[in-house]
Amino acid sequence: LKWLVWAMMMLGLVIYILGIFFTQLASDHRMSNVSNSESLVLYWGSLGDAVYSLYQAVMGGLDWGDVVEPLRSEISILLVPFFSGFIAF
């Protein structure tokens, strides 16, 4: 049971750190560009949205391709392997 608690804490920490990273990228992109993508705001508009989107992508609540699409199309295609690595491991 002890290892399960540590695994959940580690997963939560990784999701939180990546949530900060993706939210900051989305926020910087929205401030520098006029285009305001609804899906970018939906999945990455706030830290809570980003953490929830990452959690749903890992647990199967959302298709991870739908979650990463705004990052790929609006910001950079280089975020796709980074996001895919997070989902894979």
Side-chain angles (χ1 to χ4, degrees):
L1 184 63
K2 192 175 187 181
W3 59 270
L4 180 62
V5 172
W6 281 110
M8 294 302 289
M9 287 178 57
M10 183 59 109
L11 180 63
L13 181 65
V14 169
I15 287 175
Y16 182 72
I17 290 170
L18 285 176
I20 292 171
F21 175 70
F22 287 129
T23 302
Q24 187 64 44
L25 285 174
S27 176
D28 289 346
H29 177 76
R30 287 180 25 222
M31 291 177 84
S32 65
N33 294 353
V34 178
S35 67
N36 198 7
S37 171
E38 289 183 24
S39 58
L40 189 65
V41 173
L42 175 67
Y43 296 125
W44 311 108
S46 69
L47 180 58
D49 292 337
V51 168
Y52 189 55
S53 297
L54 288 168
Y55 176 77
Q56 285 185 318
V58 169
M59 297 299 171
L62 286 174
D63 182 28
W64 68 267
D66 295 338
V67 176
V68 79
E69 178 59 28
L71 296 174
R72 185 198 63 80
S73 63
E74 295 287 326
I75 300 175
S76 174
I77 197 165
L78 297 175
L79 294 173
V80 174
F82 186 70
F83 188 86
S84 299
F86 163 70
I87 295 296
F89 298 105

